[in-house]
Amino acid sequence: DIVMTQSPDSLAVSLGERATFNCKSSQSVFASSNNKNYLAWYQQKPGQPPKLLIYWASTRESGVPDRFSGSGSGTDFTLTISTLQAEDVAVYYCQQYYNTPPTFGQGTKVEIK
Amino acid sequence: QVQLQESGPGLVKPSETLSLTCIVSGGSISSYYWSWIRQPPGKGLEWIGYIFSSGSTNYNPSLKSRVTMSVDTSKNQFSLKLRSVAAADTAVYYCARHAPYTSGWYDPFDYWGQGTLVTVSS
């Protein structure tokens, strides 16, 4: 199985400030056949299912605010929230869908400082 | 707008079988891959397996010996059975759709049900 490791486990950021957190895969999730990284980011608020934010490592899902951006390739990926809003308090998960079984990171909890 | 709704017993006794159904509304179940994913209380996400609308399946090796998935396209629903459950199977169980970005299962999950908590206890 591909192991996904996120860092940090939790992060406290002031409103309006930038939040950046990372995801590392135990093997590359980049496919040279189509030049895509099989990496997604999800946001999960308490009592709710995860919500897809980013796929192909950097493509925003329809309706996701542009303050969310994804970057990285191969084994190292980053999710950035450019200006943190109160509604962004949540746990964020990365997920690889390059190999079966698809696997998730342990999550990064984002709070307001 | 596609909606998914899980249903099934919220309490299952140890060693018995957990059975859940996911009803899909607002869209067809056909030509999509559908997964079950679970989340123990306060913990992370674990993929259980997927089923294609044709009935082909792929299960997580960690659960493969205990899992069966099925699909009923006439009712626009798919189901999960997990046998010989134990306390470690207590979790919120989600059904989810694989996004249609590739021709296979290699896609993120774009629609999720609200989840249903299943507790394993005598």
Side-chain angles (χ1 to χ4, degrees):
Chain A
D1 297 6
I2 297 178
V3 177
M4 308 300 290
T5 303
Q6 293 184 239
S7 61
D9 289 334
S10 63
L11 183 65
V13 178
S14 300
L15 288 172
E17 295 299 304
R18 178 184 298 259
T20 300
F21 34 98
N22 303 302
C23 174
K24 189 175 184 68
S25 56
S26 61
Q27 66 185 74
S28 177
V29 298
F30 176 76
S32 55
S33 58
N34 61 2
N35 220 35
K36 291 185 183 298
N37 287 283
Y38 285 60
L39 189 284
W41 288 96
Y42 299 85
Q43 175 193 65
Q44 186 177 33
K45 297 180 179 179
Q48 295 184 20
K51 173 188 174 183
L52 178 63
L53 296 177
I54 302 280
Y55 57 97
W56 302 133
S58 60
T59 302
R60 259 190 310 276
E61 176 74 333
S62 175
V64 173
D66 61 7
R67 65 180 180 272
F68 292 93
S69 63
S71 63
S73 184
T75 61
D76 292 280
F77 301 91
T78 299
L79 180 68
T80 299
I81 308 173
S82 59
T83 51
L84 190 76
Q85 307 297 307
E87 61 264 33
D88 300 335
V89 169
V91 178
Y92 292 83
Y93 293 95
C94 61
Q95 178 231 336
Q96 67 80 19
Y97 47 100
Y98 180 81
N99 257 354
T100 185
T103 47
F104 295 84
Q106 82 280 14
T108 291
K109 186 175 185 178
V110 174
E111 299 172 310
I112 304 296
K113 187 187 289 183
Chain B
Q1 179 80 338
V2 175
Q3 292 185 313
L4 289 75
Q5 180 65 58
E6 304 90 351
S7 64
L11 181 64
V12 181
K13 290 182 169 54
S15 80
E16 295 191 345
T17 297
L18 177 160
S19 296
L20 296 174
T21 295
C22 181
I23 298 174
V24 179
S25 59
S28 174
I29 200 170
S30 297
S31 303
Y32 286 95
Y33 287 83
W34 305 89
S35 273
W36 289 97
I37 297 158
R38 69 181 183 178
Q39 185 171 36
K43 296 188 178 180
L45 298 155
E46 180 183 30
W47 176 76
I48 299 169
Y50 72 65
I51 187 164
F52 187 56
S53 54
S54 65
S56 64
T57 56
N58 184 21
Y59 304 140
N60 193 321
S62 67
L63 297 166
K64 187 174 184 176
S65 64
R66 299 194 289 133
V67 171
T68 302
M69 294 182 185
S70 59
V71 63
D72 187 336
T73 54
S74 68
K75 294 182 179 178
N76 230 38
Q77 65 185 42
F78 60 105
S79 299
L80 167 71
K81 289 188 186 300
L82 181 65
R83 295 177 292 278
S84 303
V85 298
D89 295 309
T90 293
V92 175
Y93 285 75
Y94 295 102
C95 54
R97 191 187 82 166
H98 294 236
Y101 302 142
T102 71
S103 58
W105 71 268
Y106 302 91
D107 285 297
F109 306 109
D110 60 352
Y111 287 99
W112 296 66
Q114 282 300 307
T116 186
L117 174 63
V118 179
T119 302
V120 178
S121 175
S122 54

